[in-house]
Amino acid sequence: MGAALEIRNLHASVEGSPILKGVNLTVRQGEVHALMGPNGSGKSTLANVLMGNPAYEVTAGQIIFDGEDILELEPDERSRKGLFLAFQYPVAIPGVTLANFLRAAINARRREENPEDKGISIPEFRRLLMEKMKYLEMNPDFAGRYLNDGFSGGEKKRAEILQMAVLQPKIAVLDETDSGLDIDALRIVASGVNRLAGPDLGVLVITHYKRILDYIKPQHIHIMMDGRIVESGGPELADQLEDSGYKPFFEKYGLVVTEE
Ligand code: ADP
Ligand code: MG
């Protein structure tokens, strides 16, 4: 039985305002899910809560990962257990290359599994890194860049996907936070997900861009509105979104239409 991320009746507030109002969602290893919804529906709030951002207060519900309630765990502890959140390290770290950072992250993960672990050797790490970069069709020079220092939107995404490839998490949550996300970045994320998805990886892609569905074919699509998942279905939901956008869902659930 593979690992699962189970979100149960999750309620969360930001600065005292309730944003998530009872989210239920289970993502298992081997599954690709897309969480869609208009701006302001609470998607990034969910990603922040999953990551353990202290600015977000969980007022009810549970987050179970691999059978364990992780609500009290720090972000790095969640990560070491195999839950990957793409925007966990958005800051520039001068003097630390992407390769250094990835090696440190792998070692932290290995020590979580075995406290005696001596860490991955440099040749072994280099082999792993080169193998993954080749598979993802990335230029090997990219790993020598300083972390996020002057990275373009597309390069940040590429770094996230590479991080996901070498860390080999059980479940990955990718939030497309950047409202200016360009089509290049969207393609990088989509092709990374398509290449890395498999029996050992579960993915939750969070976005309001319906166009992502031109590039990723999730088995499960969920629509979030006003802090709840109002609709879940298979690929047929993508066609419905393509044809008529979010508006019918707003109408069906009696919500005020603030955008298309
Ligand atoms: P989405 O990602 O679906 O666009 P968000 O989760 O970013 O939605 O936002 C949902 C609601 O929560 C919005 O009304 C937003 O203003 C509010 N919100 C989110 N984060 C914060 C924050 N850090 N401080 C105050 N309000 C926030
Ligand atoms: Mg968002």
Side-chain angles (χ1 to χ4, degrees):
M1 211 18 220
L5 173 68
E6 302 169 62
I7 301 161
R8 296 186 188 156
N9 187 34
L10 189 68
H11 289 67
S13 296
V14 185
E15 291 170 4
S17 317
I19 308 291
L20 298 184
K21 303 171 183 173
V23 175
N24 290 290
L25 177 63
T26 298
V27 178
R28 294 191 170 80
Q29 264 180 308
E31 299 176 346
V32 177
H33 293 243
L35 178 67
M36 325 268 308
N39 279 328
S41 52
K43 303 182 303 296
S44 294
T45 299
L46 176 63
N48 275 285
V49 170
L50 289 173
M51 159 186 170
N53 184 334
Y56 295 76
E57 190 200 350
V58 173
T59 53
Q62 290 176 301
I63 303 172
I64 313 284
F65 178 65
D66 213 354
E68 179 190 357
D69 192 333
I70 58 164
L71 266 181
E72 299 302 321
L73 300 184
E74 296 297 321
D76 63 314
E77 294 173 306
R78 299 179 190 202
S79 154
R80 290 198 302 266
K81 288 191 180 295
L83 179 62
F84 177 85
L85 292 133
F87 63 116
Q88 213 151 349
Y89 306 96
V91 291
I93 309 182
V96 174
T97 63
L98 182 55
N100 295 151
F101 169 77
L102 292 172
R103 185 158 172 256
I106 289 178
N107 286 338
R109 174 92 195 268
R110 282 168 63 134
R111 275 193 297 275
E112 171 76 23
E113 273 156 24
N114 171 16
E116 310 282 292
D117 192 280
K118 296 281 182 287
I120 188 168
S121 73
I122 290 180
E124 192 191 341
F125 172 70
R126 195 165 291 149
R127 221 165 19 246
L128 174 74
L129 185 62
M130 287 309 135
E131 177 202 306
K132 298 295 180 187
M133 292 191 93
K134 190 167 179 214
Y135 183 63
L136 293 166
E137 295 177 353
M138 290 182 186
N139 184 332
D141 294 345
F142 184 55
R145 292 275 304 274
Y146 291 111
L147 192 62
N148 286 357
D149 185 19
F151 277 13
S152 68
E155 285 168 342
K156 280 185 186 158
K157 293 290 153 193
R158 201 167 277 137
E160 286 173 2
I161 295 296
L162 181 60
Q163 194 184 338
M164 181 162 107
V166 301
L167 281 181
Q168 303 176 30
K170 295 171 183 163
I171 306 282
V173 178
L174 307 173
D175 184 26
E176 296 323 308
T177 45
D178 186 356
S179 58
L181 187 71
D182 55 51
I183 201 70
D184 180 41
L186 197 67
R187 283 206 193 100
I188 290 164
V189 170
S191 96
V193 168
N194 291 336
R195 278 167 198 246
L196 299 175
D200 296 329
L201 177 66
V203 187
L204 176 63
V205 180
I206 303 179
T207 184
H208 92 273
Y209 290 95
K210 298 183 284 273
R211 282 196 70 179
I212 197 140
L213 299 173
D214 295 341
Y215 302 102
I216 294 180
K217 302 293 169 215
Q219 298 104 332
H220 306 274
I221 298 176
H222 311 274
I223 297 176
M224 182 174 257
M225 299 236 156
D226 193 25
R228 289 184 192 91
I229 291 174
V230 296
E231 200 97 10
S232 291
E236 76 285 352
L237 264 185
D239 302 330
Q240 212 175 319
L241 282 172
E242 182 64 33
D243 293 344
S244 30
Y246 294 119
K247 196 155 170 263
F249 297 100
F250 278 111
E251 288 168 356
K252 184 168 167 191
Y253 295 98
L255 298 163
V256 178
V257 181
T258 52
E259 60 153 334
E260 186 27 36

